[in-house]
């Protein structure tokens, strides 16, 4: 009895029967909108189904489930109960009137609630009581003694686990329960002891190893396992003592060359496996590029590579194999060119350091004191240049490069020559020497050369007429006036009369030209 609602429940022949005289619709619940309701008698084989139905039925009657209820014994007999029924009906209607006056009228709306929701809430509330929880566990243990019950329970669980979502929820629930239980040190000790005891069996160890191998064939499982191991190691490495012990253990292992070799091979195999993924390769390349932008990181990486190469080159077999590889590579011209460019770029980068340049120059000076070294160096340069210039493209590039460098450095060279010559010409001996050289270059070194030059110069008689003085001159005594008109002063331009003679060119003699430059007038002009 709950509120003013009386219902009967009795158990007969392994079936739970529920009888109620109130109005029930076709869905076996109370529907106030349905006026053609009937009383009901329902049978349930399972007690949980009966409880879920009671939750749904009392909710449809708008009864508060937290209100008080009373359980009374029931006796079924065949007697005349007309008077009792009439009294009960009167009492029922009286109770309904009192209930309506005491309680606020709620909106009547039909709500069909799933039975597993009510059952779940009901069992959760009951399990908050420790006594009930213990009683339930004892009942389950007692029921599991029956083999049929165990089989049906196992079948039900298998059927549930065929759904991936159910398996995931069950696994998370088990993990949460284990984490909660492992907070207790006694549970941890007992769990470890049980595992050690089970692993004494060789068959169990084999099956466990086979299961792990089959799982690790899946890359996703391997990745999850690796991340779990890394997370566990990070957690453990927060302890300084553990870090020290781990470092000492690794040092002792690396003192053994075989152990180092095995560790290196394992790392290389792991990297090869991971680098099969294109995304990993891209991220690794980007990370290395960002690191190499720092000069310190590049220097450290280069030193590490050099140290490893020096260590490996201590073995003769490695050196021979390396030399053979380089020989085979240098047979290809393109590879030689790429290697040379790489070496040149590395040397340019290293020569930015003043200390490196000094050391390099000192080494070369010491080495060039040997005549054989100088010969070998000159031959090497000759062959290299010959090989380079054998290609017409390289020859043309070299010519263009020299031409551009000469044009760029022309003004610089001229200024430099002027400065050098002006400093040297302050010395009288140098000027005398320069004059003698000019005379020898123009007139000739020996007397015969001078006579021969003079005869060649006067072969063409004095046929060149000066535009200013109109006198006849030899070829060496006149200049084309076009080359000097641009540099003459404006007040001396009347000296050029546009008179043309040999080869239809306007000529001017050196005498008039010097007078024009000095702004002087000669008598015969």
């Amino acid at each position: 009895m709950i509120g003013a609602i009386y219902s009967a429940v009795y158990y007969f022949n392994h079936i739970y029967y529920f009888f109620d005289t109130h109005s029930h619709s076709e869905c076996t619940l109370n529907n106030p909108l349905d006026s053609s309701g009937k009383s009901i008698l329902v049978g349930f084989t399972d007690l949980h189904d009966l409880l879920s139905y009671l939750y749904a039925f009392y909710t449809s009657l708008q009864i508060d489930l937290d209100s008080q209820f009373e359980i009374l014994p029931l006796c079924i007999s065949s007697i005349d109960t007309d008077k009792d029924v009439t009294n009960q009906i009167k009492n029922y209607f009286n109770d309904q009137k009192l209930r309506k006056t005491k309680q606020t009228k709620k909106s009547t709306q039909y709500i069909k609630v799933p039975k597993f929701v009510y059952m779940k809430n009901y069992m959760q509330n009951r399990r908050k009581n420790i006594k009930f929880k213990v009683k339930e566990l004892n009942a389950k243990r007692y029921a599991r003694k029956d083999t049929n019950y165990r089989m049906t329970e196992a079948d039900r669980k298998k059927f549930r686990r065929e759904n991936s979502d159910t398996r995931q929820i069950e696994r998370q629930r088990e993990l949460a329960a284990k984490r909660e239980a492992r907070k207790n040190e006694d549970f941890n000790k007992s769990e470890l002891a049980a595992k050690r005891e089970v692993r004494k069996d060789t068959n169990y160890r084999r099956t466990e190893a086979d299961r792990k191998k089959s799982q690790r064939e899946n890359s996703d499982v391997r990745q999850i396992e690796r991340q779990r191991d890394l997370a566990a190691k990070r957690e453990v490495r927060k302890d300084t003592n553990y870090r020290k012990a781990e470092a000492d253990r690794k040092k002792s292992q690396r003192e053994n060359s075989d152990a180092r070799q095995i560790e290196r091979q394992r790392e290389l195999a792991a990297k090869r496996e991971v680098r099969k993924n294109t995304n990993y390769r891209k991220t690794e390349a980007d990370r290395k590029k960002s690191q190499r932008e720092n000069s310190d990181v590049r220097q450290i990486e280069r030193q590490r590579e050099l140290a490893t190469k020096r260590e490996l080159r201590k073995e003769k077999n490695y050196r021979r194999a390396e030399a053979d590889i380089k020989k085979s590579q240098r047979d290809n011209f393109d590879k030689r060119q790429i290697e040379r460019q790489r070496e040149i770029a590395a040397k340019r980068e290293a020569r930015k350091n003043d200390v490196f340049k000094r050391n390099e120059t000192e080494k070369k000076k010491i080495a060039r004191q040997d005549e054989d070294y100088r010969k070998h160096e000159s031959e090497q340069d000759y062959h290299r240049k010959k090989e380079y210039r054998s290609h017409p493209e390289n020859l043309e590039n070299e010519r263009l490069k020299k031409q551009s460098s000469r044009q760029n450095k022309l003004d610089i060279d001229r200024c430099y020559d002027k400065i050098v010559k002006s400093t040297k010409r302050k010395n009288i001996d140098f000027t005398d020497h320069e004059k003698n050289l000019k005379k020898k270059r123009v007139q000739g070194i020996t007397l015969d050369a001078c006579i021969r030059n003079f005869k060649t110069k006067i072969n063409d008689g004095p046929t060149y007429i000066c535009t200013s003085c109109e006198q006849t001159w030899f070829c060496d005594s006149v200049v084309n006036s076009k080359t000097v008109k641009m540099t003459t002063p404006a007040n001396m331009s009347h000296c050029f009369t546009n008179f043309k003679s040999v080869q239809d060119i306007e000529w001017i003699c050196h005498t008039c030209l010097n007078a024009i430059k000095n702004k002087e007038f000669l008598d015969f002009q």
Side-chain angles (χ1 to χ4, degrees), residues 106 199 513:
K106 296 181 181 179
R199 281 171 181 156
L513 184 61

Side-chain angles (χ1 to χ4, degrees), residues 315-416:
E315 296 179 4
K316 291 182 179 179
N317 296 326
Y318 180 83
R319 288 200 301 273
R320 286 175 186 169
E322 191 177 20
D324 294 335
I325 290 165
K326 285 186 177 179
K327 282 179 183 176
S328 63
Q329 286 178 353
R330 282 168 183 159
D331 291 337
N332 189 354
F333 175 76
D334 296 330
K335 288 188 177 179
R336 280 205 309 277
Q337 196 69 16
I338 292 163
E339 189 176 1
R340 192 174 292 115
Q341 288 175 359
R342 196 187 295 121
E343 288 176 358
I344 289 166
K347 282 186 178 179
R348 282 196 198 109
E349 188 69 26
R351 280 167 185 158
K352 291 178 182 179
N353 189 358
D354 296 332
V355 178
F356 180 83
K357 279 198 290 193
R358 286 174 199 163
N359 294 331
E360 191 177 20
T361 52
E362 288 175 0
K363 284 180 183 176
K364 283 187 177 179
K365 282 178 184 177
I366 295 165
R368 282 170 182 160
Q369 291 175 3
D370 188 6
E371 190 176 354
D372 296 332
Y373 179 80
R374 287 200 302 273
K375 286 181 181 179
H376 175 70
E377 192 176 18
S378 62
E379 287 176 1
Q380 199 171 5
D381 291 338
Y382 172 74
H383 290 301
R384 182 175 58 79
K385 286 181 179 178
K386 189 176 179 181
E387 180 70 23
Y388 180 76
R389 288 168 180 165
S390 62
H391 296 276
E393 295 177 358
N394 297 333
L395 197 63
E396 184 66 19
N397 290 329
E398 191 176 4
R399 189 186 67 77
L400 293 171
K401 195 185 292 181
K402 283 183 180 180
Q403 188 178 355
S404 62
S405 66
R406 281 169 188 160
Q407 288 176 356
N408 294 329
K409 294 180 181 180
L410 189 62
D411 296 333
I412 298 167
D413 292 339
R414 282 176 180 172
C415 293
Y416 178 75

Side-chain angles (χ1 to χ4, degrees), residues 210-226:
D210 295 334
R211 187 173 66 251
K212 285 185 177 179
K213 282 180 183 177
S214 63
Q215 286 176 354
R216 281 168 183 158
E217 289 175 358
N218 189 354
S219 60
D220 297 330
V221 174
R222 283 202 305 276
Q223 193 69 17
I224 292 164
E225 190 175 1
R226 193 176 291 114

Side-chain angles (χ1 to χ4, degrees), residues 99-107:
R99 186 167 176 267
K100 286 179 181 178
T101 56
K102 289 181 181 179
Q103 295 181 0
T104 57
K105 188 174 181 181
K106 296 181 181 179
S107 62

Side-chain angles (χ1 to χ4, degrees), residues 430-449:
F430 179 77
T431 53
D432 293 338
H433 176 67
E434 196 173 17
K435 287 177 182 177
N436 293 327
L437 286 176
K438 190 175 181 181
K439 283 181 182 179
K440 288 178 181 179
R441 187 171 63 251
V442 175
Q443 297 175 2
I445 298 169
T446 62
L447 183 62
D448 294 333

